[in-house]
Amino acid sequence: MKKTAITLFFLLQAACLFSQIPRPEYPRPQFERTDWINLNGEWTYTFDFGASGLERGYAGSKGFDGKIIVPFAPESKLSGVGHTDFIGRIWYQRTIDIPADWSGRNVMLNFGAVYYTSEVYVDGRFVGRHFGGSTSFSYDITAFVKSGGSHSLVVFATSDLRSGKQTAGKQSLQYASHSCDYTRTTGIWQTVWMEAVAPEALARVQMTTDIDQQQLIVAPQFFRESPNTLRVTLRDGGKVVGTRQVRASNSSVVVIPVKKARLWCPEDPFLYDLTYEVVAPDGQVLDAVKSYVGMRKVHIEGNKIYLNNEPYYQRLVLDQGFYPDGIWTAPSDDALRRDIELGLAAGFNGARLHQKVFEERYYYWADRLGYITWGESPSWGMDANDVETARNFLSEWAECVVRDRNHPSLLTWTPMNEEWWPDNTQFPRFASDVYDLTGRLDPTRPVNTVSGGAVVRTDIWAVHNYEQNPAKLKEKIFSDGTFFHPRLRTTRDQTRNIGFNEVKATANYAWPQYDGSCPYLVDEFGGIKWVKDQEKQATDSQTESWGYGQAPRTLEEFYTRLEGQVDALLSLSGQVWGYCYTQLTDVEQEQNGIYCYDRSAKFDMDRIKAIFSKRPEHPAR
C-alpha cells in the first residue's frame, strides 16, 4: 500500500504540473516542420524484471497497468513513477491517431532519445531496433498505419548499466547515488513525435559556414532522390540575403554567397534564418523546413584556438544537465534556457556539456543567447578496452556528431572523459578511430578526444587539476595537470601511434610531456565544496555532501580561494587558452556548484561574476 500511495502521489503531482502536453515545443528547432504531432503525455507502462515480456505478448499490448508521463524517465518524479532501483527492461504503450489528411505522405515516428536499446512495435508488428541511449532516431511507419486510423504503439527499452558495454555517464553503478555519480535514467527521456513528410522530402543537411570565402555551403540528403528542385533561401530578418536552387539529389551542393556576413560570436550571437523547400516541376512545394545558421569559424593555429580568425579565450563551466525532478530531462524548455542564463550571469562565456548528450533544444538556446558549448558523450561506465563496447560507442557517437554539427555554439567535440587503459589492450586503436571518425563527420571543429585522460590523438591538450591551493595550482598545471598521463599527440593526417606491444606498465613507461604544439586548456578545476548557509550549520551537517578538497571554513575564504584559482590560470597568459570550472550547479550529493541543485543562488552573484568575467593578460577576448 505504501508503494502504491507513493506512486499515486507522483502521478497526481505530474498531472498538476502537466495539465497539457509536457515539453510541447518542437524538439528539433534547426530543422522544423509545421505538420507534426507531439506524443508526450500519459502512456501506459510495465516493468519486465523477468525478461518475459516478449513471451507474454507485450509487443501487441493495448495497454499496461501502470501510467507514466513521457518524456520523463521512470526514475524521475515528473514521470509519476519515481522508481530509482535498477530497471533492466520497461515496456511503454499508447494509442496513436493518424490524421486523415496525412494520406499520400510518409509518417515519420521520431524519438529524441531512449536509454539504452529500444524496440518499436505498431499493432504488434516489429518496426525497428535502435542501439544507443543518447541520440535521436526515426522510423518511417507508413506501411504500419492508415490515414484516419488508430494504432497501438509499443516501445520496449532495455538497459544493462553494469555490463560495461554501454555508455552510462554519471549514472550510478551502485544502488544509490554516491560521490559524483547520481540517479539513473532508463527508457524514454526525450520527446516522441510524429510528422508527415513527402516521400521526396529533405532528410537532413550539413552546413559549412565558410567565412573566408564569404559563403554558406549546404550539402542536402533526401529520403528519396527525385527530379524536383531544392530551393534554399537565406534571410537577415525579413530581407532575403541569397537564394539558390539545385536538383533534389544527394550529390547536389548549394553555395550561397554571404558578403560582409555578420558573424556569430558570444558577444554578438547573430543568426540568419534559413528555409529549405522541395519544389515539384509544377511549382508545388512538397516539403518546407525552417532553420537558421550562425556564420562563424573555429580553428587551431599553433597553441591557440581561434574564433572567426581571432584568438579566443574560453571561460567555461562544467554543466552536467541534471534536474531534481526530471534527472536527465529538463522539466521545461524554459529550464534549458534558464541554465544558460545562469551561466552567463555567473560570468562564463560557455559550458562544457559533461557526460551527457544534451537535447537539441539546449543547443538552440545556446545558439540564440551566445553561449559556447563543448559536446561530449556519457563515456563513463563503459569498458573502453572491450571491442564490443568500442563498436557500440562508435555508432552512437557518430549519430551524435551528425545530429549536432550544424549548431554554431558548439565549438569542440569531446568524445570521452578520463579514459585509461592497462597493458596490451585495444584502447589506443579505439581512441584513434574515435578521433578519425569525428574528424571525417565534422572537419570544422577541433576534437578533444579524451578530456583529462590518456590521449592517443587529439587537437587539444586538456587537463584536469583539482589542487585547491592557488599557488600550488599554478605550479602544478604543466607538471601534473591531468589525472592520467597523456599520450603523444598527432595530427589528423599523421599515423604515428604507439604500438600495442610498446605500451608498458605505467610505473615503467616514459610518458611524453606537453610540447607546446597544440592549445593547452584546463578543462576541469575548482570543484570547491560549499553547502548553502554552510557557516550557520554544524560541522557534521556536511557529511553527506561531496566536493573536491577541504571545504572553506567561511564564505570569505571561499571567494578568496576561488579568485586565487582563477587568477592563477589567467596569469599563465599565452600558455593556457581556456578553463572549465566545476561546476554550474550542485547535483544531488555533490555540492560544489556555483548554484544550488534547485538553481537558487548560493553566493553573491555580483562577486562571482566579477571573478569569472576576468580576462587574461594577452589580448584575446
Side-chain angles (χ1 to χ4, degrees):
M1 287 296 294
K2 184 177 180 181
K3 182 178 179 181
T4 302
I6 293 172
T7 301
L8 179 61
F9 170 77
F10 282 151
L11 279 170
L12 290 172
Q13 184 183 49
C16 291
L17 286 170
F18 301 115
S19 56
Q20 298 178 344
I21 295 176
R23 299 301 306 271
E25 62 282 345
Y26 191 82
R28 195 175 55 201
Q30 209 178 23
F31 201 82
E32 183 173 354
R33 292 188 173 93
T34 58
D35 209 353
W36 71 291
I37 297 174
N38 193 319
L39 297 180
N40 291 343
E42 187 177 272
W43 293 46
T44 69
Y45 86 97
T46 188
F47 295 130
D48 185 9
F49 297 119
S52 58
L54 280 173
E55 297 174 63
R56 290 191 277 169
Y58 283 3
S61 174
K62 301 295 184 182
F64 300 110
D65 292 337
K67 297 185 185 300
I68 186 170
I69 304 298
V70 168
F72 302 106
E75 292 90 345
S76 71
K77 296 176 182 178
L78 291 179
S79 71
V81 179
H83 182 95
T84 57
D85 203 346
F86 286 88
I87 302 172
R89 296 165 184 80
I90 181 172
W91 293 80
Y92 297 82
Q93 185 278 337
R94 68 156 288 162
T95 298
I96 55 174
D97 298 315
I98 311 301
D101 62 3
W102 282 15
S103 178
R105 288 182 287 173
N106 291 351
V107 180
M108 301 301 299
L109 176 64
N110 306 305
F111 294 85
V114 182
Y115 191 86
Y116 172 76
T117 63
S118 61
E119 296 177 2
V120 174
Y121 300 85
V122 174
D123 295 335
R125 299 166 63 193
F126 176 73
V127 174
R129 181 180 294 109
H130 181 260
F131 295 87
S134 297
T135 49
S136 305
F137 56 98
S138 301
Y139 298 113
D140 184 343
I141 61 171
T142 310
F144 299 85
V145 298
K146 293 182 180 180
S147 299
S150 295
H151 304 270
S152 179
L153 170 64
V154 170
V155 177
F156 175 40
T158 65
S159 175
D160 188 4
L161 201 67
R162 288 167 161 169
S163 68
K165 305 290 185 183
Q166 61 192 58
T167 53
K170 291 301 191 76
Q171 300 181 75
S172 178
L173 301 183
Q174 300 178 19
Y175 165 73
S177 300
H178 64 98
S179 61
C180 59
D181 286 335
Y182 325 115
T183 304
R184 291 169 288 275
T185 288
T186 308
I188 298 171
W189 67 278
Q190 289 185 33
T191 293
V192 185
W193 79 102
M194 295 189 300
E195 59 188 350
V197 301
E200 307 88 357
L202 191 64
R204 66 179 58 87
V205 300
Q206 181 175 5
M207 295 187 290
T208 302
T209 55
D210 183 358
I211 69 170
D212 295 322
Q213 276 63 245
Q214 302 183 75
Q215 59 188 3
L216 169 65
I217 303 168
V218 178
Q221 185 175 341
F222 300 87
F223 288 113
R224 188 172 75 191
E225 295 180 286
S226 67
N228 299 317
T229 298
L230 173 66
R231 181 168 62 210
V232 183
T233 305
L234 184 70
R235 291 182 175 86
D236 177 350
K239 179 183 177 182
V240 175
V241 175
T243 184
R244 288 290 186 274
Q245 295 189 145
V246 297
R247 186 180 176 92
S249 168
N250 291 339
S251 60
S252 295
V253 176
V254 181
V255 180
I256 299 179
V258 189
K259 303 298 182 182
K260 298 181 179 179
R262 185 173 170 183
L263 302 183
W264 185 98
C265 64
E267 295 75 19
D268 182 21
F270 180 77
L271 300 172
Y272 290 90
D273 294 321
L274 267 173
T275 56
Y276 303 107
E277 296 171 299
V278 178
V279 184
D282 62 3
Q284 179 187 3
V285 177
L286 303 175
D287 186 36
V289 177
K290 289 174 53 180
S291 186
Y292 64 86
V293 63
M295 294 293 294
R296 68 104 180 93
K297 172 187 177 183
V298 56
H299 78 285
I300 288 173
E301 289 183 20
N303 72 338
K304 301 179 182 66
I305 299 177
Y306 288 75
L307 178 61
N308 299 332
N309 293 326
E310 295 182 12
Y312 201 92
Y313 194 92
Q314 298 179 59
R315 308 184 316 277
L316 309 179
V317 65
L318 199 77
D319 187 345
Q320 307 204 62
F322 273 74
Y323 299 87
D325 47 4
I327 311 177
W328 260 7
T329 311
S332 67
D333 193 46
D334 287 341
L336 292 173
R337 175 173 183 159
R338 178 62 175 155
D339 280 357
I340 295 171
E341 292 172 337
L342 291 175
L344 292 169
F348 301 104
N349 61 12
R352 177 179 163 211
L353 308 183
H354 186 50
Q355 284 302 286
K356 173 187 169 185
V357 176
F358 281 48
E359 59 180 283
E360 289 184 79
R361 295 292 308 187
Y362 182 96
Y363 283 114
Y364 166 77
W365 287 118
D367 296 341
R368 290 284 175 194
L369 297 174
Y371 198 60
I372 292 170
T373 58
W374 285 27
E376 183 175 331
S377 85
S379 63
W380 273 18
M382 69 173 185
D383 178 2
N385 300 296
D386 176 74
V387 174
E388 181 183 349
T389 304
R391 188 261 176 271
N392 291 340
F393 182 90
L394 288 169
S395 60
E396 183 177 16
W397 179 245
E399 290 179 348
C400 172
V401 174
V402 169
R403 193 196 75 175
D404 296 334
R405 62 190 175 189
N406 290 331
H407 287 285
S409 63
L410 204 164
L411 297 195
T412 301
W413 292 116
T414 304
M416 292 180 282
N417 179 68
E418 295 175 1
E419 295 296 343
W420 183 235
W421 74 93
D423 293 350
N424 303 316
T425 71
Q426 63 94 44
F427 179 82
R429 178 187 178 191
F430 170 42
S432 182
D433 286 346
V434 171
Y435 177 83
D436 283 335
L437 175 66
T438 308
R440 286 167 184 158
L441 292 173
D442 180 13
T444 70
R445 289 177 177 86
V447 180
N448 178 27
T449 313
V450 180
S451 172
V455 176
V456 178
R457 301 171 70 191
T458 189
D459 297 324
I460 294 173
W461 199 282
V463 301
H464 301 174
N465 196 311
Y466 286 102
E467 169 60 52
Q468 294 294 294
N469 181 288
K472 291 182 179 179
L473 174 66
K474 179 177 179 179
E475 179 182 312
K476 291 181 177 181
I477 283 297
F478 289 98
S479 60
D480 64 350
T482 180
F483 288 146
F484 309 121
H485 298 284
R487 303 298 307 265
L488 282 170
R489 171 185 178 269
T490 64
T491 59
R492 210 171 259 140
D493 58 353
Q494 290 176 309
T495 56
R496 55 186 179 99
N497 293 318
I498 297 175
F500 298 155
N501 293 331
E502 296 176 45
V503 179
K504 307 298 182 184
T506 304
N508 300 323
Y509 189 74
W511 297 94
Q513 299 298 310
Y514 175 68
D515 62 5
S517 62
C518 65
Y520 190 105
L521 284 86
V522 181
D523 65 344
E524 281 189 36
F525 83 104
I528 305 172
K529 176 182 173 181
W530 185 263
V531 180
K532 191 173 184 179
D533 299 326
Q534 183 166 298
E535 291 175 306
K536 302 176 183 178
Q537 299 177 20
T539 304
D540 61 358
S541 66
Q542 301 176 43
T543 56
E544 297 302 318
S545 63
W546 188 89
Y548 291 96
Q550 184 67 37
R553 291 165 296 180
T554 67
L555 192 55
E556 194 60 37
E557 184 182 334
F558 174 89
Y559 291 126
T560 300
R561 185 189 300 183
L562 175 64
E563 187 164 21
Q565 290 184 6
V566 172
D567 286 347
L569 298 183
L570 294 178
S571 70
L572 296 169
S573 177
Q575 301 174 68
V576 174
W577 279 87
Y579 63 72
C580 179
Y581 182 81
T582 302
Q583 60 182 327
L584 181 65
T585 73
D586 294 343
V587 182
E588 299 185 2
Q589 71 283 341
E590 184 174 358
Q591 295 184 301
N592 51 16
I594 294 300
Y595 297 93
C596 297
Y597 196 20
D598 63 4
R599 274 57 176 175
S600 62
K602 275 188 182 182
F603 306 107
D604 178 344
M605 292 312 298
D606 289 336
R607 290 192 69 172
I608 294 296
K609 185 174 184 178
I611 293 171
F612 287 117
S613 295
K614 288 186 175 185
R615 307 296 178 92
E617 297 173 3
H618 56 73
R621 289 183 295 178

